């Protein structure tokens, strides 16, 4: 079984300065990328998927030339620069420069600029609903109360692009254990801040703000499910969902809700923003599944940001061994 908990190890960025990560990435990009940049910065759609490109499908992972395996790699690197499948970490430049955060804009390359002054301090997260000990948690308390672990996860967007991100955070189950869910709690509902004065995208009338997401309680309690407060050992930047966001690596990226202000234990299945906006296209479960296409495009392959070509999408985004039991006996096509 892959080891995810690296809490007792220093964060990658403590060992490897960001500049070293990035210069190594540049070097590798120079060797592997063929015209990838033009694709990378394509214009942003209004609905997920309208910016899908048609590019050549290659059968091997774009990350084949990894730092660990490549002859151009320096040998003195003491920390992993790939995930457990040997896939390259995405550069911080790409992680912070190509984002989905519709509260600010639907233009992926403009999110960073428009969210630059987003005020994330002070910040509180209200945890309540069917729990014995509801509470309001200050973000600084959450950072100190729970050990911050580094976890390298693949992020697969429903739009068929992906990244590999070294998150910093703590498992959601630790917070849920604090509030003690009661027998009535069957699902967890998450809510993002909706502040029109700071978030220009909220004026868009076609979405039902605030951004809402949900998990079944057992999904929420799974050890892979992370509340993230950082990336590459640094605090989250606004465009990535500062100061705290969810990361559910075996589900499409839209389940990983950003800038959370409310977590509620509920009895009924929550209706997410995307379920409300397009019930035929976005289901509650949204597990990464190359065998179940989106009604408007194939989910069989994906474009790894920072690499050229396409790679095969893996069922449950490569976390099948850890999570498949959660869906035993379920029809994954009906429960998309
Ligand atoms: N959370 C909120 N509040 N608003 C959003 O628009 N976009 C989702 C998800 N969380 C989104 C959100 C989508 S579609 C994806 S793919 C991921 O965030 C992208 O995360 P990233 O920008 O950090 O890569």
């Amino acid at each position: 079984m892959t080891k995810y908990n690296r809490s007792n190890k220093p964060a990658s960025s403590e060992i490897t300065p960001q500049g070293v990560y990035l210069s190594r990435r540049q070097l590798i990009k120079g060797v592997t990328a063929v015209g990838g940049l033009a694709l990378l910065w394509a214009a942003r759609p209004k609905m997920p998927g309208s910016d899908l490109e048609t590019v050549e499908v290659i059968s091997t992972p774009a990350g084949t030339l990894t730092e660990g395996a490549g002859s151009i790699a320096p040998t003195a690197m003491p920390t992993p620069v790939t995930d457990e499948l040997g896939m390259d970490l995405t550069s911080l430049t790409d992680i912070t420069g190509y984002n989905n955060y519709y509260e600010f804009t639907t233009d992926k390359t403009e999110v960073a600029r428009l969210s630059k002054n987003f005020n994330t301090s002070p910040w509180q997260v209200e945890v309540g609903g069917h729990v014995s000990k509801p509470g309001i948690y200050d973000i600084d308390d959450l950072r100190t109360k729970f050990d911050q672990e580094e976890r390298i996860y693949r992020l697969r967007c429903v739009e068929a692009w992906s990244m590999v991100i070294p998150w910093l955070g703590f498992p959601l189950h630790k917070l849920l254990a604090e509030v003690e869910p009661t027998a009535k709690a069957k699902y967890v509902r998450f809510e993002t801040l909706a502040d029109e004065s700071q978030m220009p995208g909220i004026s868009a009338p076609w979405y039902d703000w605030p951004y809402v997401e949900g998990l079944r309680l057992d999904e929420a309690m799974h050890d892979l499910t992370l509340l993230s407060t950082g990336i590459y050992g640094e605090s989250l930047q606004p465009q990535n969902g500062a100061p705290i966001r969810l990361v559910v690596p075996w589900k499409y990226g839209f389940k990983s809700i950003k800038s959370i202000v409310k977590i509620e234990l509920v009895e009924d299945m929550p209706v997410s923003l995307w379920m409300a906006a397009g019930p035929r296209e976005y289901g509650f479960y949204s597990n990464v599944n190359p065998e179940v296409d989106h009604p408007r495009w194939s989910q069989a392959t994906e474009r790894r940001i920072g690499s050229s070509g396409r790679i095969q999408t893996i069922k449950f985004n490569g976390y099948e061994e850890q999570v498949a039991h959660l869906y035993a006996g379920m029809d994954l096509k009906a429960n998309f």
Side-chain angles (χ1 to χ4, degrees), residues 286-315:
S286 301
N287 293 316
V288 174
N289 193 341
E291 294 152 22
V292 180
D293 288 338
H294 185 281
R296 288 185 281 133
W297 61 86
S298 164
Q299 293 292 25
T301 65
E302 66 202 54
R303 176 172 60 98
R304 180 60 49 82
I305 300 299
S307 303
S308 58
R310 297 183 80 82
I311 58 176
Q312 304 293 327
T313 288
I314 318 174
K315 200 167 181 182

Side-chain angles (χ1 to χ4, degrees), residues 99-103 155 157 192 211 240 245 253-254 256 258:
N99 301 99
N100 271 336
Y101 202 162
Y102 278 32
E103 286 89 332
L155 175 88
C157 179
T192 296
Y211 197 102
N240 292 111
R245 55 112 34 107
F254 64 84
S256 294
K258 297 178 169 181

Side-chain angles (χ1 to χ4, degrees), residues 5 14 17 33 59 106-107 125 147-148 162 179 188 224-225 237 262 271 289 303 309 318:
N5 186 337
E14 285 170 39
S59 56
T106 55
D107 183 341
V125 182
D147 282 349
Q148 304 292 303
S162 61
V179 297
V188 187
L224 283 176
T225 305
Q237 297 189 27
K262 195 169 177 187
V271 177
N289 193 341
R303 176 172 60 98

Side-chain angles (χ1 to χ4, degrees), residues 51-302:
D51 66 343
L52 295 171
E53 309 94 1
T54 340
V55 286
E56 191 196 351
V57 175
I58 51 171
S59 56
T60 51
T64 318
L65 182 59
T66 64
E67 284 89 339
S71 58
I72 55 171
T75 51
M77 183 65 75
T79 191
V81 286
T82 67
D83 69 4
E84 81 284 3
L85 300 181
M87 295 180 171
D88 291 354
L89 299 197
T90 304
S91 73
L92 186 63
T93 308
D94 284 340
I95 295 171
T96 56
Y98 188 81
N99 301 99
N100 271 336
Y101 202 162
Y102 278 32
E103 286 89 332
F104 289 95
T105 174
T106 55
D107 183 341
K108 289 178 173 56
T109 63
E110 282 291 295
V111 179
R113 186 179 67 79
L114 290 168
S115 64
K116 200 171 59 192
N117 298 321
F118 183 49
N119 186 7
T120 58
S121 178
W123 191 277
Q124 291 183 323
V125 182
E126 183 186 341
V127 191
H130 293 303
V131 297
S132 302
K133 298 181 175 167
I136 295 180
Y137 292 82
D138 196 83
I139 185 66
D140 296 326
D141 295 340
L142 289 174
R143 281 205 188 93
T144 50
K145 196 175 182 69
F146 306 110
D147 282 349
Q148 304 292 303
E149 307 172 11
E150 184 181 70
R151 298 206 183 183
I152 299 171
Y153 286 162
R154 294 170 292 286
L155 175 88
R156 169 54 157 88
C157 179
V158 73
E159 297 167 328
W161 55 264
S162 61
M163 298 189 185
V164 183
I165 302 179
W167 301 102
L168 212 57
F170 60 93
L172 171 65
H173 64 73
K174 289 193 176 176
L175 178 59
L176 296 181
E178 285 268 323
V179 297
E180 297 180 7
T182 66
K184 275 193 159 175
K186 302 280 187 276
Y187 295 90
V188 187
R189 181 186 181 277
F190 305 85
E191 212 175 284
T192 296
L193 180 75
D195 180 356
E196 210 164 329
S197 71
Q198 298 194 75
M199 298 166 140
I202 288 210
S203 56
W206 43 83
Y207 300 112
D208 191 11
W209 308 109
Y211 197 102
V212 166
E213 259 309 335
L215 294 174
R216 221 171 51 193
L217 186 58
D218 57 349
E219 298 176 321
M221 294 297 289
H222 195 287
D223 190 57
L224 283 176
T225 305
L226 200 69
L227 278 175
S228 172
T229 56
I231 290 175
Y232 273 112
E234 304 287 336
S235 291
L236 282 181
Q237 297 189 27
Q239 62 269 37
N240 292 111
I244 189 163
R245 55 112 34 107
L246 188 70
V247 186
V248 194
W250 71 93
K251 293 178 178 283
Y252 290 120
F254 64 84
K255 299 293 289 183
S256 294
I257 180 173
K258 297 178 169 181
S259 309
I260 297 168
V261 288
K262 195 169 177 187
I263 299 175
E264 209 180 350
L265 283 283
V266 295
E267 200 167 358
D268 300 323
M269 181 183 280
V271 177
S272 69
L273 175 135
W274 286 112
M275 287 163 76
R280 248 179 30 83
E281 303 197 345
Y282 306 102
F284 175 79
Y285 286 96
S286 301
N287 293 316
V288 174
N289 193 341
E291 294 152 22
V292 180
D293 288 338
H294 185 281
R296 288 185 281 133
W297 61 86
S298 164
Q299 293 292 25
T301 65
E302 66 202 54

